Amino acid sequence: MRRPGAFASLARLQATAYQLFRGRCGAKGDSMAVLIRIADFHDDMIAWRRHLHANPELGFEETATSAFVCERLSEFGVDEVHEGIAKTGVVAVIRGRDGGRRVGLRCDMDALPLTEQTGLDYSSKVTGRMHACGHDGHVAMLLGAARSLAETRAFKGEVVLIFQPAEENLGGGQVMVREGLFERFPVDAVFGLHNWPGAAVGSFAICTGPIMAATDSFVVGVRGQGGHAALPHTTSDPLLAAAATVQALQAVVARSVPPREAAVVSVTRISGGDAYNVIPDAVELWGTVRTYTPEMRKLCRDRLEAICNGVAETHGCTAMVDYRRGYPPTVNSDVETDFAASVAADIVGESRVNRNATPSMGGEDFAYLLEQRPGAYILMGNGPGDGGRVLHSPFYDFNDEALPIGASYWVRLAERFLAS
Ligand code: NI
């Protein structure tokens, strides 16, 4: 834990003052209320974001990123900085007036194992490492909000800033929860945000209930009896069993999941065999299952296992199903979702907030935080997703025009949540 000490103070009134901030944050003709102080930080946020972009680190390896975050937080004069939560995670506390509630604001910090192909002058310096999901922008926005909140402190209670490691596949959010995140920082609610290419800068989308899916995966080993391809009657062909299994698994969604529910069962890899004239002994199938509720999650798993075993047996083979539970669904609570949407509307206007967003079948480990506390995860427009500029693409780059919008959302959310 570090206590930077210095209590920065600027006019508190700035926190609640707005101006129409034109030109840098959106399409022609748009005007949005970005906090004055945040607009002042835009160039700094761009510099932070591009520094992080050029120096990406994978999950649980974000040591330089964490150090950068801690340095900035210390400069801003936040009250507490706690390092080393879930290895490279950082949690900071900013106190306002005495009493009041606590609110958690969370961003993710990790990059992806991709080699960047944008050709930008601040491209990744590391081959095979890239901020291709915009977590560099997420960190920069939360830092911008931290700076403003530490200056103005126009709220009652505490803002808890959660810089989470390892969102991509490694479940850093779950590790933070296991290491006592909410026992040490007992927030009343927690909020998350992700940029969304393909939606206009200055727009937000959210929904109550599940907004992202559970992300389970499976590996199925189909074992038979190989032999000469010219003598198939002397074999139990696992390739034929595997092919039939891929077909039969389509029946899980088509015939077991109720039509008004949503689920995905995708087989994504088949491997086995070495020669055109040899029937192999074994074949392996990989795939993923996406669901929004515990009931559908269990149903899909049960049906998948039954189909794999049954089809294999039909072909004189056996199936070994290794079903791996991934992230749970990300479930927004009702009150906090309405609140988050109204905060977004404060910044960009009600017409630019979609309160009935279509949930994504992607996954998000903020789900683990929402299992512990009420809260809401919102999607923020990041501009056109053309030219391959989509999440997890080597051509993607976070849109810097969105930085003051996201940071203003965080500040406004904290100030409203802690208004009384
Ligand atoms: Ni992401």
Side-chain angles (χ1 to χ4, degrees):
M1 185 178 115
R2 304 190 336 184
R3 287 180 182 274
F7 187 106
S9 63
L10 277 181
R12 292 188 172 190
L13 285 176
Q14 283 185 327
T16 49
Y18 291 79
Q19 69 175 8
L20 288 179
F21 181 67
R22 297 175 190 275
R24 297 188 68 177
C25 52
K28 275 179 283 185
D30 274 356
S31 58
M32 292 163 223
V34 171
L35 293 171
I36 292 173
R37 198 64 187 129
I38 292 295
D40 291 343
F41 298 161
H42 195 173
D43 289 343
D44 287 341
M45 286 192 286
I46 291 172
W48 302 335
R49 208 279 295 179
R50 294 184 180 184
H51 169 79
L52 294 169
H53 190 87
N55 298 279
E57 296 173 299
L58 297 181
F60 295 127
E61 298 173 2
E62 305 98 329
T63 51
T65 305
S66 289
F68 181 85
V69 166
C70 289
E71 283 171 26
R72 300 288 83 70
L73 292 170
S74 297
E75 288 169 9
F76 305 157
V78 304
D79 294 287
E80 298 176 15
V81 178
H82 303 260
E83 298 176 63
I85 302 175
K87 287 189 182 177
T88 44
V90 177
V91 177
V93 178
I94 305 172
R95 295 197 185 87
R97 298 187 301 280
D98 286 346
R101 299 194 289 173
R102 292 186 183 89
V103 65
L105 313 180
R106 170 272 199 183
C107 76
D108 39 19
M109 302 193 290
D110 54 323
L112 284 158
L114 277 181
T115 296
E116 181 159 357
Q117 295 181 44
T118 63
L120 294 164
D121 57 6
Y122 53 88
S123 281
S124 171
K125 296 175 182 171
V126 191
T127 302
R129 302 280 185 274
M130 180 188 173
H131 269 295
C133 201
H135 299 184
D136 48 349
H138 298 171
V139 173
M141 290 188 292
L142 197 56
L143 283 175
R147 182 170 170 184
S148 178
L149 289 163
E151 279 185 2
T152 57
R153 301 185 189 244
F155 56 88
K156 183 178 180 182
E158 293 182 357
V159 179
V160 177
L161 305 156
I162 303 164
F163 295 86
Q164 184 213 294
E167 191 284 322
E168 303 285 358
N169 297 325
L170 298 172
Q174 184 182 34
V175 178
M176 287 191 106
V177 168
R178 282 184 182 155
E179 293 190 7
L181 175 67
F182 293 128
E183 286 75 33
R184 295 176 67 182
F185 310 97
V187 298
D188 294 283
V190 65
F191 294 86
L193 177 156
H194 206 291
N195 76 93
W196 209 250
V201 170
S203 67
F204 284 88
I206 194 169
C207 62
T208 58
I211 188 166
M212 304 286 268
T215 59
D216 298 342
S217 60
F218 58 85
V219 174
V220 181
V222 181
R223 179 157 285 281
Q225 176 65 57
H228 200 299
L231 304 167
H233 59 290
T234 65
T235 72
S236 297
D237 184 354
L239 265 170
L240 187 61
T245 301
V246 174
Q247 295 277 0
L249 285 176
Q250 306 313 308
V252 176
V253 174
R255 286 296 174 268
S256 296
V257 173
R260 292 185 66 82
E261 299 283 347
V264 170
V265 177
S266 288
V267 178
T268 55
R269 175 185 155 118
I270 306 177
S271 59
D274 296 301
Y276 70 88
N277 57 354
V278 177
I279 292 171
D281 285 326
V283 172
E284 198 169 78
L285 303 175
W286 292 8
T288 187
V289 176
R290 305 296 172 103
T291 52
Y292 289 127
T293 66
E295 294 76 22
M296 288 309 108
R297 201 176 189 185
K298 182 175 187 315
L299 174 75
C300 288
R301 177 180 185 160
D302 290 348
R303 291 301 301 139
L304 183 140
E305 290 179 344
I307 287 170
C308 289
N309 289 320
V311 172
E313 187 180 350
T314 300
H315 290 81
C317 299
T318 57
M320 283 283 293
V321 181
D322 179 6
Y323 193 92
R324 302 168 183 178
R325 285 167 68 88
Y327 295 169
T330 302
V331 183
N332 284 342
S333 52
D334 294 350
V335 171
E336 287 72 22
T337 300
D338 281 349
F339 171 70
S342 72
V343 170
D346 282 354
I347 305 300
V348 299
E350 190 65 50
S351 66
R352 296 188 182 91
V353 180
N354 177 2
R355 292 171 181 255
N356 295 298
T358 302
S360 165
M361 279 291 178
E364 165 61 55
D365 81 345
F366 187 62
Y368 292 107
L369 279 66
L370 288 179
E371 284 187 330
Q372 303 294 319
R373 287 292 188 277
Y377 183 78
I378 199 165
L379 307 176
M380 182 187 75
N382 205 238
D386 56 346
R389 288 180 293 166
V390 294
L391 298 178
H392 295 209
S393 156
F395 299 100
Y396 173 73
D397 184 42
F398 185 93
N399 188 334
D400 286 327
E401 300 306 305
L403 291 169
I405 296 168
S408 294
Y409 168 79
W410 282 135
V411 170
R412 186 72 180 139
L413 186 149
E415 290 180 351
R416 279 189 54 188
F417 193 90
L418 303 173
S420 58

